[in-house]
Amino acid sequence: MGTLWTHYKAGGPVMMSFIAFWLVISIGVILERIYYLYGSSINKEAFLATMQKCILAGDVSKAVKQCSAENAPLARIVQAGLVKVNRPDEEVQAAMDEAALREIPKIASRTGYLALLANLAMLSGLLGTVTGLITSFGAVSGESVDPSHKARVLAQGISEAMNCTWFGLFVAIISLVAYAWLNGKTQSLEDDINEASVQVLNLVVNNRQKVNLSAIAA
């Protein structure tokens, strides 16, 4: 820990603080997205099996209750269609599409910020590198610097530049890896929603004669 703090101080307080700021924001976005995405996950196969069993039995009201018990975007989208099952097929699909328009943006929200934060961290590290080199070479070329101290001043400037570069790349790598991972999870959830909603809609359309419409109306 002491070594990290030494490198942090060697990188200069201004630019290293900028990079640390991007790191804190990135960690916040990563933790929030993990909490939401994994909290929104659902066992698609088990959920579809339950929906199929209820719909084939004509007990759509039970299917609606099962959806209410699941705190997941997929369940809320399917529920929106099931409560409209006593309406024409077009209205059932429209209800599911409307619910999907509300839920899917929440799934993809803020993940893209990680790519931006990675670029900002990398550019901040590059700016710190350039600033450190300008400072060191400017000090060395100045007449006010004691010739015996020029080597030390130059070494400090280069150290500042390299530490900024390292820290910026470190934060950028963390953000980009997290972005790729969370983006994959987001895409997986969206694919599950698209597939499951179509399957449930087909079940409803093909088994309307079995549905207990009076229970749905109640």
Side-chain angles (χ1 to χ4, degrees):
M1 195 67 181
T3 303
L4 291 176
W5 177 242
T6 301
H7 284 294
Y8 184 87
K9 291 190 296 182
V14 177
M15 296 312 304
M16 295 293 272
S17 296
F18 266 115
I19 302 172
F21 177 69
W22 305 133
L23 175 61
V24 170
I25 296 178
S26 297
I27 292 174
V29 172
I30 292 169
L31 293 177
E32 187 274 334
R33 287 290 82 196
I34 290 175
Y35 177 80
Y36 182 84
L37 293 176
Y38 283 87
S40 300
S41 298
I42 189 173
N43 188 328
K44 183 191 67 175
E45 303 302 331
F47 177 75
L48 285 175
T50 302
M51 293 297 103
Q52 183 177 18
K53 180 179 178 181
C54 293
I55 293 171
L56 291 178
D59 193 357
V60 178
S61 60
K62 182 178 179 181
V64 172
K65 291 178 182 178
Q66 291 289 339
C67 291
S68 298
E70 298 284 353
N71 183 25
L74 172 57
R76 289 191 287 270
I77 292 169
V78 170
Q79 182 183 12
L82 292 177
V83 297
K84 295 282 188 178
V85 76
N86 57 341
R87 307 295 298 169
D89 296 342
E90 293 78 9
E91 292 191 28
V92 175
Q93 183 171 5
M96 296 178 73
D97 290 342
E98 182 181 349
L101 289 174
R102 288 195 303 269
E103 297 292 340
I104 290 180
K106 296 178 184 177
I107 296 174
S109 176
R110 286 181 288 280
T111 301
Y113 289 161
L114 291 172
L116 171 63
L117 291 167
N119 285 325
L120 288 173
M122 190 160 51
L123 291 174
S124 297
L126 178 60
L127 181 60
T129 301
V130 174
T131 303
L133 291 177
I134 290 173
T135 302
S136 60
F137 286 118
V140 169
S141 62
E143 297 179 357
S144 59
V145 179
D146 189 335
S148 62
H149 294 163
K150 286 188 175 183
R152 178 177 57 81
V153 173
L154 182 61
Q156 287 178 345
I158 294 175
S159 175
E160 177 180 335
M162 293 300 101
N163 279 291
C164 281
T165 302
W166 173 83
F167 195 30
L169 290 174
F170 175 73
V171 175
I173 290 171
I174 291 177
S175 299
L176 285 176
V177 169
Y179 170 74
W181 171 43
L182 293 173
N183 194 52
K185 180 64 176 177
T186 298
Q187 189 60 54
S188 176
L189 283 175
E190 291 179 356
D191 291 343
D192 286 349
I193 287 173
N194 293 330
E195 179 184 350
S197 59
V198 170
Q199 290 189 31
V200 171
L201 180 62
N202 289 336
L203 279 171
V204 170
V205 170
N206 295 328
N207 296 277
R208 279 191 173 276
Q209 69 278 7
K210 300 178 181 179
V211 175
N212 185 354
L213 296 180
S214 61
I216 293 296

